Amino acid sequence: MTSDPRLRLFIDSGPFVALYYKNDEHHRGAVDSFAKIARNGIRYRKLYTSDYVLDEAITTCRRRTGSHELSVRLGTDILASKSIVMLKVDERTIQESWALYKERDDVRLSFTDATCATLAKTHGITNIFTYDGRDFRPLNLNVISGLWTSNQASLPCRCGNRRPPTSEIDA
C-alpha cells in the first residue's frame, strides 16, 4: 500500500457504470477519466474498489442498459483489472458500516456507500471517484468527479447500449 493517503483513490460504481452506458450523463467524463487511468496519467498510485461496488455496478449497468452482455463485460473488466485492488466487505466492515448507516440519517447514504466510506477509512483512503458527492462529502471524503484535464481532447467512444466495448478499465 502506498504510504501517502493522497495517492490512493477509491472508485465508486457510478464511474464504472457511466463508462459502459453511453446514455449516462457522465459517460464522456468517465471515458476520458478511465483513458487517463489506462495511460498512467493520474497522480493516484493505488486504485481501489470493493466487492459491494462490483455488485452495484453490474446490477445498475444491466438495469440501465437492458444488456446482460454489457453488464458481464463490465464485471469481467473490473475483476480482471491489474490496476484496481478489490477490497472485501468482511464482518467487521459490515458492523461498522451498519453503525455509520444508522447514525447518519442526515445523509442520503446507501448501505453500499456506507461500506465504501468504512473501507476507505480502514485503508487510509481519503479520495473517492464518484458522482455522488452529496453522499460522501459529509463523511469527510475528498470527492473526485473526474480525472481529465480541461485541455485534454475527448477520446472516441467505443461503447453502446447493446454492444460491449473493448476493455476500458485497463489498457
Side-chain angles (χ1 to χ4, degrees), residues 1-11 15 33-49 82-85 124-130 141-149 169-170:
M1 185 174 348
T2 183
S3 60
D4 188 345
R6 295 172 299 173
L7 298 180
R8 299 179 202 147
L9 181 66
F10 192 96
I11 304 174
S33 293
F34 280 101
K36 195 165 187 178
I37 288 170
R39 291 191 313 271
N40 288 323
I42 60 171
R43 68 185 192 106
Y44 304 101
R45 295 295 158 241
K46 285 300 260 184
L47 303 174
Y48 301 86
T49 198
K82 292 177 178 58
S83 59
I84 298 173
V85 176
I125 303 166
T126 58
N127 300 299
I128 185 164
F129 180 20
T130 184
L141 285 166
N142 182 34
V143 172
I144 310 297
S145 60
L147 302 171
W148 61 92
T149 58
I169 294 175
D170 283 326

